[in-house]
Amino acid sequence: MTEVEGTDTRTRLLEAAADLIAATPGEDFSLRAVCDAAGVKMPTLYHFFGNKQGLVEAVVERGFDMYLSAKSSTESSGDPIQDLRLGWDAHVAFGLENPGFYTLMYGKVRPGYSPEAQSKPSEILRGLTLKAEQDGRLVVGHEQAAAHVLATNIGVTLRLVIQGKNDPELSAGVREGVLAAITGTGQSEPGDGRLGHAVIERAAANPDILGETETQLLIQWIGRLGEV
Amino acid sequence: MTEVEGTDTRTRLLEAAADLIAATPGEDFSLRAVCDAAGVKMPTLYHFFGNKQGLVEAVVERGFDMYLSAKSSTESSGDPIQDLRLGWDAHVAFGLENPGFYTLMYGKVRPGYSPEAQSKPSEILRGLTLKAEQDGRLVVGHEQAAAHVLATNIGVTLRLVIQGKNDPELSAGVREGVLAAITGTGQSEPGDGRLGHAVIERAAANPDILGETETQLLIQWIGRLGEV
DNA sequence: CAACCTCCGTATCGTTGTTACATCGGACTA
DNA sequence: TAGTCCGATGTAACAACGATACGGAGGTTG
């Protein structure tokens, strides 16, 4: 072989598969079509990827890399809650821009097994919720918060991918509801000891609004309201 | 044919397919295996269902019927918000008990098309949110509320189905967060005029806790906090 | 030079979804 | 009663698919 093609055969196969998946999101694809597009016969594909699942996993890993590189370019605000917001939006945006990849990454429902690479974004998410917990911003455990965010973020994104069009109002609404739920910015149940958490946070963070003595009094009053 | 079997051939095929799907959730299934289990050759299956997708859709429709009959037996509280709660739990329970069906019903990500029968539960959901809106319980439109509930409910259920085990804390946490978000029981954004809504409500409803002047002062202070 | 490894083509296998064609029995009609 | 039609089912085959056994070309290494 004269090796006129500049790219590696394995990379060519990977890109051909990615193109086919992106071209028909949600549909199945044929290994022979991948090989034809890469100008190669099937045993070559099997040589590099073992079987179809191996190819799919390689494509998924590639998808997660794309996702992470697109995500890491935006996430830097220092505030973990704000980072969760940015991460949420980046997640939704990636899903809508790459429905084929997203389907393989998060839409595959094979009980008991989740793709390897899926752990990386989850790690980032857990890092954020852990930091938020250490900053005292959470009213639930950081694992619980991460699971909460992940499940709803995937749910909203899958929904938007299925119906094919974006709905910023829905995404933002669910996002803020979720953040409110895990930060206690919204009161979940009377009598759980967290009544007025958001008010206290805001007042304590800005004691100049009411003045220092008034702020202390406010916090004390809200505490008495919550005790009953 | 002497028709010794008590059941209809079509029903037998349907049940055989349902059994196979339930036996290997998320995995694909073979039409020949269905026919073997039903004691019938392939053209019979094609006579009744046209093609594989037709069979799958019939199974899905059957799954939705099961889901609705299991759901309708619990939903009767009169309070639309409480009905949403019950519907949420029924949804999660059905998904966990029938992961194979649930995967076909809500896990299929084929952009642009959603199964026909999926509209029935959505109609019920929209009916509940509409009633809640008419009762003045919502702070968002009833369609927005329905979409919010549906996306998150599916997201949580898919998550639980994938990881195979239930997590009542997660489900209940997301559920209450969602209900808080659409009923305004929680405050969604600082500066939207809802900061400390629950505190104010509680204080105003029980002016004897703090005393009347202190209560008025509290409400005024919270208002000033929210304006900034 | 020979052994070996990576890369890749030829040919084939078993399974799958799908369909053309034939058969058989009951229902309706003249 | 004889004829005709139609739904239900079987026989057989096809094309596409994932997967694999086998071999050969080319470079590398001992």
Side-chain angles (χ1 to χ4, degrees), chain A residues 2-86:
Chain A
T2 45
E3 273 301 334
V4 234
E5 312 94 345
T7 53
D8 188 2
T9 301
R10 191 191 134 98
T11 307
R12 254 179 17 246
L13 279 167
L14 215 50
E15 291 182 348
D19 287 348
L20 280 183
I21 290 172
T24 62
E27 302 291 323
D28 203 2
F29 68 98
S30 157
L31 293 186
R32 285 177 166 85
V34 174
C35 290
D36 285 355
V40 148
K41 300 299 177 182
M42 296 207 53
T44 303
L45 190 154
Y46 276 84
H47 172 69
F48 285 113
F49 300 100
N51 53 19
K52 186 170 188 175
Q53 182 177 330
L55 175 62
V56 169
E57 286 176 4
V59 172
V60 165
E61 194 165 358
R62 214 178 110 99
F64 271 105
D65 287 345
M66 290 175 49
Y67 169 59
L68 286 177
S69 65
K71 193 173 185 174
S72 65
S73 66
T74 61
E75 211 167 81
S76 58
S77 84
D79 178 11
I81 303 300
Q82 183 61 16
D83 281 351
L84 285 176
R85 230 183 297 266
L86 295 176

Side-chain angles (χ1 to χ4, degrees), chain B residues 9 32 40-41 43-44 47-48:
Chain B
T9 302
R32 283 178 168 84
V40 150
K41 300 299 177 182
T44 304
H47 173 68
F48 284 113

Side-chain angles (χ1 to χ4, degrees), chain A residues 151-226:
Chain A
T152 51
N153 203 354
I154 294 176
V156 166
T157 307
L158 281 179
R159 196 80 200 148
L160 296 181
V161 167
I162 288 180
Q163 71 186 41
K165 68 179 190 68
N166 196 356
D167 183 348
E169 202 177 352
L170 174 64
S171 174
V174 176
R175 182 195 57 193
E176 294 308 318
V178 166
L179 292 181
I182 67 175
T183 59
T185 314
Q187 154 240 7
S188 50
E189 289 248 68
D192 68 347
R194 294 231 138 255
L195 179 68
H197 185 264
V199 179
I200 294 177
E201 265 207 350
R202 184 164 186 79
N206 309 69
D208 48 318
I209 298 181
L210 301 178
E212 206 155 327
T213 49
E214 286 87 348
T215 299
Q216 289 303 320
L217 211 52
L218 176 83
I219 294 176
Q220 178 187 333
W221 287 353
I222 292 178
R224 278 167 58 193
L225 281 173

